[in-house]
Amino acid sequence: MPGGAELRIESIEGIPLYNGDVETAEGVPKRAAELKKAIAEAAGLILATPEYNNSLPGVLKNAIDWLSRPTSDIKAVFGGKPVAVMGASQGGFGTILSQSAWLPVLRTLGTRPWFGGRLLVSRAHTVFDEHGKISDEAIKKQLEQFLHGFVEFVEA
Ligand SMILES: Cc1cc2nc3c(=O)[nH]c(=O)nc-3n(C[C@H](O)[C@H](O)[C@H](O)COP(=O)(O)O)c2cc1C
């Protein structure tokens, strides 16, 4: 991360399917509540998205849907939050359609999306080594520039 900015990586692992009856009976699941808190405390959010069938993945949308409950918390979690979207996919367009599909969601949640850069990693299976590290120098550079631009936006 540039300029001493700290990156905290979180996962949607452990978030159940949204169910309004469960919400009424038990409230927001523990893992969703943890993520809500992490996002509320963060200066910015980077949404790393795959692309499923030329759109956003239902599993990630489901997680965001839980994080938007109850509605009265949306402002504290997402309101005015600087958000960048990046993605990697095995196809040739690097999640471009998925990233666009996220826009109405980011708008509805009242975030402050960053449009100053894009990171579209296509043919993602050729970009990482066997340890999951980026082995493609051009992509590494694009990622650095992307993070630099977003951190500047968050700190502005
Ligand atoms: C249901 C499904 C739909 C997919 N649709 C696309 C697609 O539209 N475009 C694309 O480039 N890759 C597509 N892929 C391939 C994904 O890029 C690849 O599976 C990637 O690893 C998904 O990330 P994930 O493992 O974090 O889910 C699809 C994969 C799945 C499972």
Side-chain angles (χ1 to χ4, degrees):
M1 291 296 283
E6 188 194 330
L7 179 69
R8 176 170 161 185
I9 298 175
E10 293 284 356
S11 162
I12 61 169
E13 188 83 48
I15 296 191
L17 283 178
Y18 178 76
N19 182 322
D21 295 334
V22 171
E23 184 187 357
T24 301
E26 301 167 23
V28 171
K30 184 168 168 284
R31 182 66 191 130
E34 286 169 7
L35 286 180
K36 279 174 66 179
K37 185 168 179 287
I39 294 171
E41 288 172 357
L45 171 68
I46 300 174
L47 198 64
T49 185
E51 178 169 298
Y52 285 3
N53 294 314
N54 285 179
S55 189
L56 53 82
V59 284
L60 186 49
K61 174 68 161 51
N62 174 72
I64 297 292
D65 291 339
W66 264 123
L67 302 188
S68 71
R69 302 299 298 172
T71 311
S72 53
D73 284 354
I74 290 177
K75 203 167 176 200
V77 177
F78 293 106
K81 180 76 59 185
V83 178
V85 181
M86 66 181 190
S89 76
Q90 295 180 347
F93 301 98
T95 70
I96 193 163
L97 292 169
S98 173
Q99 293 193 23
S100 292
W102 277 106
L103 297 180
V105 180
L106 299 180
R107 178 181 184 148
T108 294
L109 296 176
T111 68
R112 190 162 72 94
W114 177 61
F115 295 134
R118 295 198 103 159
L119 190 65
L120 301 157
V121 180
S122 54
R123 313 265 174 238
H125 51 295
T126 67
V127 168
F128 299 89
D129 67 17
E130 66 273 25
H131 307 293
K133 296 263 175 225
I134 298 174
S135 52
D136 184 300
E137 287 304 319
I139 296 292
K140 215 181 273 183
K141 198 151 190 238
Q142 283 175 31
L143 175 61
E144 278 167 19
Q145 282 171 356
F146 181 89
L147 292 173
H148 193 271
F150 182 56
V151 168
E152 254 183 11
F153 178 75
V154 170
E155 290 174 348

